[in-house]
Amino acid sequence: MPDVPESHPRKDSLSARQKIVDGAKRGLLADSAMIAHGRGEAFDYLLGEKTTESATMAIRRVATLLTSAERPVISTNGNTAVLAGESMIRVAAVVGCPIEVNLYYRTPERMSGLLSLLGEQRDSVAKEKGPSQFKGDWGEAVRSVRILGDEADFRIEGLEGPRALCTEDGIGLADLILVPLEDGDRCEALISLGKLVCVIDLNPLSRTARMASVTIVDEVSRAAISLLSEVLNPTEVEGEWDNDAALRDSLKHISNAIDRL
Ligand code: PTJ
């Protein structure tokens, strides 16, 4: 990527695009990954490229659920691994949960490429100093994050084809799954298996966003950074989560974009 100065107003967006381009060159992404990314960018633009208040509340709720679940797992696809893999590893280290590579367009080459990428990211995160609020040995916590997905020994009931494949130890037996950029069918199938499904999706109207237990309408790399702060210091959130209200709030934010002119 040509040198983009820190002050460039589109710096984050350009560097995310470059990560997607590099990931595609490495064969890590689905053929339609750029289309999905472009759709996300359009929604993000309308949201003002900022985490909204309702997204902050959703992130807080997901942090509380993640830290209190018995068998949480973070599911990661191609786009998530290249955009937010390291942040997701940090979150997994704090929560003490595995990360599972689970793909919509599953091929052996992409699976092994993404498993290697996450392994490299884990090595690099393990060398960091770690967040100041983290109590314990950061390197050890990061190194003990299991990266699953290699041995698919379980099928998600109600789904056809390779996208139903997962691991029993991860998604199969999980009570809570955090799935960024999920597809509607899989979200629905996981919900009907009685699991809590938390998603990150910039489109508040997608079937995934509407099906999920908790939807974070935010850009995945931004949301993952906020999620890390929240899991380091989870707060008790009172009352039932009203996901429809959160989605309506995101849509209101989009329709208020006219006020930002
Ligand atoms: O790696 P795979 O094989 O699992 O495939 C991944 C993609 C994303 C290609 C696949 O799941 C797909 O085709 O997804 P969709 O149906 O296009 O849905 C992607 C959703 O994610 C859309 O609602 C986008 O608005 C949203 N989205 C895209 N980029 C981001 C995003 N949400 C949050 N952060 C993003 N960076």
Side-chain angles (χ1 to χ4, degrees):
M1 174 165 107
D3 255 357
V4 182
E6 282 303 320
S7 58
H8 193 292
R10 309 230 45 76
K11 169 105 183 159
D12 290 348
S13 170
L14 292 173
S15 91
R17 279 187 179 189
Q18 193 59 41
K19 286 180 186 167
I20 292 284
V21 169
D22 294 343
K25 279 191 190 145
R26 279 181 72 176
L28 299 173
L29 301 183
D31 291 344
S32 56
M34 287 194 193
I35 299 172
H37 185 75
R39 180 157 41 162
E41 268 192 349
F43 278 104
D44 204 20
Y45 213 95
L46 291 169
L47 284 160
E49 295 176 316
K50 285 200 183 82
T51 304
T52 62
E53 209 171 301
S54 56
T56 302
M57 296 307 289
I59 290 168
R60 201 160 286 160
R61 176 66 63 151
V62 170
T64 309
L65 292 171
L66 262 176
T67 48
S68 56
E70 272 181 25
R71 291 189 69 118
V73 60
I74 300 175
S75 174
T76 302
N77 63 8
N79 291 45
T80 303
V82 304
L83 291 174
E86 292 197 344
S87 294
M88 289 300 177
I89 287 167
R90 293 183 193 105
V91 172
V94 174
V95 172
C97 73
I99 293 197
E100 175 161 346
V101 178
N102 191 252
L103 303 181
Y104 188 85
Y105 300 104
R106 186 183 178 105
T107 65
E109 295 76 19
R110 287 190 62 217
M111 283 302 294
S112 80
L114 287 164
L115 288 162
S116 309
L117 173 70
L118 284 159
E120 290 161 22
Q121 291 174 332
R122 182 177 55 191
D123 290 346
S124 139
V125 172
K127 291 186 192 123
E128 294 171 352
K129 194 164 155 269
S132 56
Q133 305 97 309
F134 183 77
K135 314 242 177 314
D137 183 334
W138 178 247
E140 182 53 37
V142 174
R143 279 188 296 275
S144 44
V145 172
R146 288 180 306 142
I147 298 169
L148 309 173
D150 201 13
E151 305 266 310
D153 54 359
F154 200 84
R155 294 191 71 86
I156 303 170
E157 222 179 282
L159 280 183
E160 300 290 320
R163 70 195 172 134
L165 294 173
C166 66
T167 70
E168 183 174 29
D169 207 17
I171 291 175
L173 292 177
D175 56 346
L176 181 148
I177 307 165
L178 172 63
V179 251
L181 282 73
E182 179 57 318
D183 79 281
D185 284 352
R186 205 159 35 171
C187 183
E188 186 171 6
L190 293 170
I191 294 261
S192 61
L193 291 175
K195 298 176 190 299
L196 275 174
V197 182
C198 301
V199 302
I200 304 174
D201 189 335
L202 277 160
N203 177 4
L205 290 171
S206 76
R207 215 154 63 79
T208 305
R210 289 182 286 124
M211 290 298 311
S213 319
V214 181
T215 304
I216 299 170
V217 181
D218 197 9
E219 200 285 318
V220 68
S221 48
R222 222 168 38 230
I225 292 170
S226 306
L227 187 60
L228 176 64
S229 312
E230 292 292 337
V231 292
L232 281 162
N233 187 17
T235 42
E236 270 308 312
V237 238
E238 298 288 320
E240 289 274 298
W241 174 254
D242 186 345
N243 208 45
D244 287 347
L247 297 181
R248 273 197 297 275
D249 192 84
S250 306
L251 283 168
K252 228 181 271 163
H253 202 84
I254 289 174
S255 64
N256 287 345
I258 196 159
D259 298 334
R260 298 198 291 272
L261 275 177

